[in-house]
Amino acid sequence: MESHYQLAMKLLIAFLLLCQVAVAFAATGPLLSKTLRPVSLGLHRVPSVGPQVTFPTSLAATNRNEISKKDDWKDSLAKAMGYVMGTGAMFVYAPIFVNLLRQGNANGLALSTWIFNVFGLSLATLYPIIKGFPITTYIELIAAMAQSVVIMLLVAFYQGKVLEVSVYLGLLSCALLAFVRSGPKSTKVMNVMQLAASLIANYANFPQILLSYQTKQTAWSGVTAAMSMTGCFIRILTTFQLTKDPAVMGGYVLGFLTNSILLTQSFVYKKA
């Protein structure tokens, strides 16, 4: 799994360099805005003179109230499911954490999975924060990221790679801070970031899937995989109701598929 570990470090360094470039552009942006003035095209708004169709005020108000009640009911349910997700996410990696402490080793766990997981979850958490989505739509991402950091450090400790992982965390923190401070983000940049987060977070499962396949045993918890699948399925529903963001939706679909493989492996392979 060393090649995956090196790939994760290279991706992080590349991301840090891109953030440095973004910060540089953000710093020079105000200077360019002062030297370049917008050109007026002399366009004016033309008032509408066509026939207007009016509807009874009471009928229109009634329809709006009925639609509003339906939307409020769905939104309330989606938000409630979001809080349930956040509560469940606090324990999604608990079985793996408990097994690590009980066994005193990280045999059967791929360090690169947690490196990619922390990277992908960090980007995935930034996306809804910058977009201004309700915290109920991503509270489980925060919980999962915090647990992933703890487990990554624990696995690194057992595998003798604490220094390398600590440097990784430092670089990641600097990169994310530089990205946030680089100014407003365009829709294209945000979509690319969400796509990258989905790909990285879901690719994170593949080193673990590959390791379990090669060793014909798994240290991954079936409970964790089942909880992750359930969470992804609920998030598909809540995302459709609250934000309807296709980039976020695609990430949860991929997560559902990769965790279904991990769940299958937890039944097929038994850790010796």
Side-chain angles (χ1 to χ4, degrees), residues 79-94 135-136 138-141 143-144 147 227 235:
K79 289 178 180 179
M81 292 174 68
Y83 284 118
V84 172
M85 279 289 300
T87 303
M90 296 298 296
F91 308 99
V92 65
Y93 292 130
I135 192 172
T136 53
Y138 61 90
I139 189 172
E140 80 280 1
L141 293 176
Q147 293 174 79
M227 290 179 65
R235 271 308 176 206

Side-chain angles (χ1 to χ4, degrees), residues 10-272:
K10 290 178 180 178
L11 284 174
L12 180 63
I13 293 174
F15 180 68
L16 180 60
L17 292 175
L18 288 175
C19 287
Q20 295 287 350
V21 173
V23 170
F25 274 108
T28 57
L31 296 177
L32 293 175
S33 62
K34 291 180 180 179
T35 56
L36 300 177
R37 296 183 178 179
V39 179
S40 175
L41 298 179
L43 299 179
H44 301 279
R45 182 180 177 182
V46 179
S48 174
V49 295
Q52 298 182 358
V53 180
T54 58
F55 297 93
T57 305
S58 59
L59 178 59
T62 302
N63 291 335
R64 283 197 300 268
N65 289 334
E66 291 178 356
I67 295 174
S68 177
K69 289 180 180 179
K70 292 180 180 179
D71 290 340
D72 289 343
W73 180 81
K74 292 180 180 179
D75 288 348
S76 298
L77 179 60
K79 289 178 180 179
M81 292 174 68
Y83 284 118
V84 172
M85 279 289 300
T87 303
M90 296 298 296
F91 308 99
V92 65
Y93 292 130
I96 297 177
F97 177 73
V98 171
N99 286 336
L100 279 170
L101 294 179
R102 183 176 59 190
Q103 296 170 4
N105 63 71
N107 296 338
L109 289 176
L111 177 59
S112 53
T113 283
W114 298 102
I115 291 176
F116 279 110
N117 205 35
V118 170
F119 192 8
L121 286 173
S122 298
L123 293 179
T125 304
L126 277 184
Y127 181 85
I129 291 177
I130 296 176
K131 296 274 283 187
F133 292 163
I135 192 172
T136 53
T137 64
Y138 61 90
I139 189 172
E140 80 280 1
L141 293 176
I142 299 175
M145 181 177 62
Q147 293 174 79
S148 295
V149 170
V150 173
I151 294 178
M152 179 182 67
L153 290 172
L154 194 56
V155 172
F157 172 76
Y158 287 133
Q159 296 184 1
K161 294 181 178 179
V162 175
L163 179 60
E164 295 92 329
V165 170
S166 298
V167 172
Y168 163 77
L169 278 178
L171 289 174
L172 179 61
S173 300
C174 292
L176 295 177
L177 179 61
F179 182 78
V180 172
R181 296 294 299 272
S182 62
K185 315 296 184 298
S186 66
T187 302
K188 184 176 181 180
V189 170
M190 294 298 295
N191 289 338
V192 170
M193 184 182 75
Q194 179 60 23
L195 177 61
S198 299
L199 293 176
I200 293 172
N202 287 289
Y203 173 78
N205 290 331
F206 283 99
Q208 183 62 49
I209 292 172
L210 180 61
L211 179 63
S212 298
Y213 174 76
Q214 291 174 339
T215 61
K216 297 298 184 292
Q217 63 180 19
T218 180
W220 198 267
S221 170
V223 175
T224 294
M227 290 179 65
S228 297
M229 284 182 62
T230 303
C232 287
F233 180 74
I234 293 176
R235 271 308 176 206
I236 292 172
L237 300 179
T238 58
T239 300
F240 178 78
Q241 175 61 30
L242 294 177
T243 65
K244 294 180 174 60
D245 193 301
V248 176
M249 182 85 70
Y252 287 122
V253 171
L254 287 175
F256 181 87
L257 295 176
T258 55
N259 279 286
S260 66
I261 298 176
L262 289 171
L263 178 62
T264 302
Q265 287 186 328
S266 70
F267 287 104
V268 175
Y269 306 130
K270 299 297 181 181
K271 188 174 182 295

